[in-house]
Short mmCIF file of all heavy atoms in Angstrom, two decimals:
data_model
loop_
_atom_site.label_atom_id
_atom_site.label_comp_id
_atom_site.label_asym_id
_atom_site.label_seq_id
_atom_site.Cartn_x
_atom_site.Cartn_y
_atom_site.Cartn_z
N CYS V 75 70.20 19.02 -21.97
CA CYS V 75 68.77 18.71 -21.69
C CYS V 75 68.21 17.69 -22.65
O CYS V 75 67.15 17.12 -22.40
CB CYS V 75 67.97 20.00 -21.86
SG CYS V 75 68.47 21.30 -20.76
N GLY V 76 68.82 17.47 -23.80
CA GLY V 76 68.32 16.59 -24.84
C GLY V 76 67.64 17.44 -25.89
O GLY V 76 66.93 18.43 -25.66
N ARG V 77 67.83 17.03 -27.20
CA ARG V 77 67.23 17.72 -28.37
C ARG V 77 65.92 16.97 -28.73
O ARG V 77 65.95 15.78 -29.03
CB ARG V 77 68.18 17.81 -29.52
CG ARG V 77 67.63 18.59 -30.66
CD ARG V 77 68.66 18.84 -31.78
NE ARG V 77 69.08 17.59 -32.38
CZ ARG V 77 70.28 17.05 -32.29
NH1 ARG V 77 71.21 17.68 -31.51
NH2 ARG V 77 70.59 15.91 -32.85
N HIS V 78 64.76 17.64 -28.68
CA HIS V 78 63.52 17.08 -28.96
C HIS V 78 63.10 17.25 -30.40
O HIS V 78 63.26 18.24 -31.01
CB HIS V 78 62.43 17.72 -28.04
CG HIS V 78 62.56 17.34 -26.60
ND1 HIS V 78 61.58 17.56 -25.66
CD2 HIS V 78 63.65 16.83 -25.89
CE1 HIS V 78 62.00 17.11 -24.46
NE2 HIS V 78 63.20 16.72 -24.54
N ASP V 79 62.50 16.12 -30.91
CA ASP V 79 61.97 16.16 -32.30
C ASP V 79 60.63 15.43 -32.27
O ASP V 79 60.57 14.17 -32.09
CB ASP V 79 63.00 15.48 -33.27
CG ASP V 79 62.42 15.45 -34.69
OD1 ASP V 79 61.51 16.19 -35.02
OD2 ASP V 79 62.98 14.67 -35.49
N TRP V 80 59.58 16.09 -32.46
CA TRP V 80 58.22 15.53 -32.42
C TRP V 80 57.98 14.91 -33.86
O TRP V 80 57.69 15.68 -34.82
CB TRP V 80 57.16 16.59 -32.12
CG TRP V 80 57.16 16.90 -30.62
CD1 TRP V 80 57.81 17.94 -30.06
CD2 TRP V 80 56.51 16.13 -29.58
NE1 TRP V 80 57.56 17.92 -28.69
CE2 TRP V 80 56.77 16.83 -28.40
CE3 TRP V 80 55.80 14.99 -29.55
CZ2 TRP V 80 56.33 16.35 -27.18
CZ3 TRP V 80 55.27 14.50 -28.37
CH2 TRP V 80 55.53 15.22 -27.15
N VAL V 81 57.96 13.63 -33.96
CA VAL V 81 57.71 12.92 -35.18
C VAL V 81 56.18 12.99 -35.52
O VAL V 81 55.79 13.12 -36.70
CB VAL V 81 58.10 11.41 -35.07
CG1 VAL V 81 57.73 10.64 -36.35
CG2 VAL V 81 59.56 11.32 -34.79
N SER V 82 55.30 13.03 -34.47
CA SER V 82 53.90 13.22 -34.59
C SER V 82 53.50 13.90 -33.31
O SER V 82 54.24 14.04 -32.39
CB SER V 82 53.20 11.85 -34.80
OG SER V 82 53.09 11.15 -33.55
N PRO V 83 52.18 14.30 -33.16
CA PRO V 83 51.76 14.94 -31.96
C PRO V 83 51.87 14.06 -30.68
O PRO V 83 51.83 14.56 -29.56
CB PRO V 83 50.29 15.31 -32.26
CG PRO V 83 50.19 15.42 -33.75
CD PRO V 83 51.12 14.36 -34.22
N SER V 84 52.03 12.75 -30.91
CA SER V 84 52.11 11.88 -29.72
C SER V 84 53.37 11.00 -29.68
O SER V 84 53.46 10.04 -28.94
CB SER V 84 50.86 10.96 -29.67
OG SER V 84 50.73 10.17 -30.85
N TYR V 85 54.34 11.31 -30.57
CA TYR V 85 55.60 10.56 -30.58
C TYR V 85 56.78 11.48 -30.64
O TYR V 85 56.92 12.23 -31.60
CB TYR V 85 55.61 9.49 -31.73
CG TYR V 85 56.91 8.71 -31.81
CD1 TYR V 85 57.48 8.19 -30.61
CD2 TYR V 85 57.58 8.47 -32.96
CE1 TYR V 85 58.64 7.45 -30.69
CE2 TYR V 85 58.75 7.78 -33.03
CZ TYR V 85 59.25 7.25 -31.88
OH TYR V 85 60.45 6.51 -31.93
N LEU V 86 57.59 11.39 -29.59
CA LEU V 86 58.81 12.28 -29.43
C LEU V 86 60.02 11.43 -29.52
O LEU V 86 60.10 10.41 -28.93
CB LEU V 86 58.69 12.99 -28.08
CG LEU V 86 59.90 13.84 -27.64
CD1 LEU V 86 60.13 15.04 -28.62
CD2 LEU V 86 59.74 14.28 -26.19
N THR V 87 60.97 11.92 -30.31
CA THR V 87 62.35 11.34 -30.30
C THR V 87 63.26 12.29 -29.64
O THR V 87 63.10 13.54 -29.83
CB THR V 87 62.82 10.91 -31.63
OG1 THR V 87 62.92 12.03 -32.47
CG2 THR V 87 61.84 9.94 -32.32
N VAL V 88 64.20 11.80 -28.88
CA VAL V 88 65.16 12.68 -28.16
C VAL V 88 66.56 12.21 -28.38
O VAL V 88 66.86 11.04 -28.17
CB VAL V 88 64.84 12.68 -26.65
CG1 VAL V 88 65.88 13.49 -25.90
CG2 VAL V 88 63.45 13.22 -26.35
N ASP V 89 67.42 13.12 -28.81
CA ASP V 89 68.82 12.95 -28.75
C ASP V 89 69.33 13.49 -27.40
O ASP V 89 69.29 14.71 -27.17
CB ASP V 89 69.53 13.70 -29.91
CG ASP V 89 71.07 13.66 -29.83
OD1 ASP V 89 71.61 13.15 -28.84
OD2 ASP V 89 71.70 14.10 -30.82
N GLY V 90 69.75 12.59 -26.51
CA GLY V 90 70.11 13.04 -25.18
C GLY V 90 71.40 13.86 -25.09
O GLY V 90 71.67 14.41 -24.03
N GLN V 91 72.12 14.07 -26.16
CA GLN V 91 73.27 14.89 -26.23
C GLN V 91 74.28 14.59 -25.12
O GLN V 91 74.96 15.41 -24.54
CB GLN V 91 72.85 16.35 -26.08
CG GLN V 91 71.88 16.80 -27.12
CD GLN V 91 71.40 18.25 -26.89
OE1 GLN V 91 70.90 18.54 -25.77
NE2 GLN V 91 71.43 19.07 -27.86
N ARG V 92 74.39 13.26 -24.76
CA ARG V 92 75.34 12.75 -23.78
C ARG V 92 74.99 13.33 -22.36
O ARG V 92 75.88 13.38 -21.55
CB ARG V 92 76.81 13.08 -24.09
CG ARG V 92 77.31 12.42 -25.37
CD ARG V 92 78.76 12.77 -25.67
NE ARG V 92 78.84 14.15 -26.11
CZ ARG V 92 79.42 15.10 -25.38
NH1 ARG V 92 80.03 14.81 -24.24
NH2 ARG V 92 79.52 16.30 -25.88
N GLY V 93 73.72 13.72 -22.14
CA GLY V 93 73.42 14.30 -20.88
C GLY V 93 73.36 13.31 -19.76
O GLY V 93 73.45 12.06 -19.90
N LEU V 94 73.15 13.80 -18.53
CA LEU V 94 72.94 12.99 -17.30
C LEU V 94 71.52 12.28 -17.56
O LEU V 94 70.55 12.95 -17.92
CB LEU V 94 72.93 13.77 -16.09
CG LEU V 94 74.23 14.57 -15.79
CD1 LEU V 94 74.13 15.30 -14.40
CD2 LEU V 94 75.45 13.58 -15.73
N GLY V 95 71.45 11.02 -17.26
CA GLY V 95 70.27 10.27 -17.56
C GLY V 95 68.97 10.83 -16.95
O GLY V 95 68.00 11.11 -17.74
N PRO V 96 68.89 11.18 -15.67
CA PRO V 96 67.66 11.64 -15.06
C PRO V 96 67.19 12.99 -15.64
O PRO V 96 66.04 13.13 -16.01
CB PRO V 96 67.98 11.67 -13.58
CG PRO V 96 68.98 10.65 -13.36
CD PRO V 96 69.85 10.73 -14.65
N PRO V 97 68.01 14.00 -15.70
CA PRO V 97 67.53 15.27 -16.33
C PRO V 97 66.95 15.14 -17.73
O PRO V 97 65.91 15.70 -18.00
CB PRO V 97 68.75 16.19 -16.27
CG PRO V 97 69.60 15.65 -15.18
CD PRO V 97 69.42 14.17 -15.24
N VAL V 98 67.66 14.34 -18.58
CA VAL V 98 67.20 14.18 -19.94
C VAL V 98 65.87 13.45 -20.00
O VAL V 98 64.96 13.86 -20.65
CB VAL V 98 68.25 13.48 -20.79
CG1 VAL V 98 67.67 13.05 -22.15
CG2 VAL V 98 69.52 14.36 -20.98
#
Side-chain angles (χ1 to χ4, degrees):
C75 300
R77 185 172 64 247
H78 290 197
D79 180 17
W80 286 97
V81 178
S82 76
S84 58
Y85 179 42
L86 173 66
T87 62
V88 175
D89 174 352
Q91 301 174 310
R92 295 179 290 111
L94 302 180
V98 170

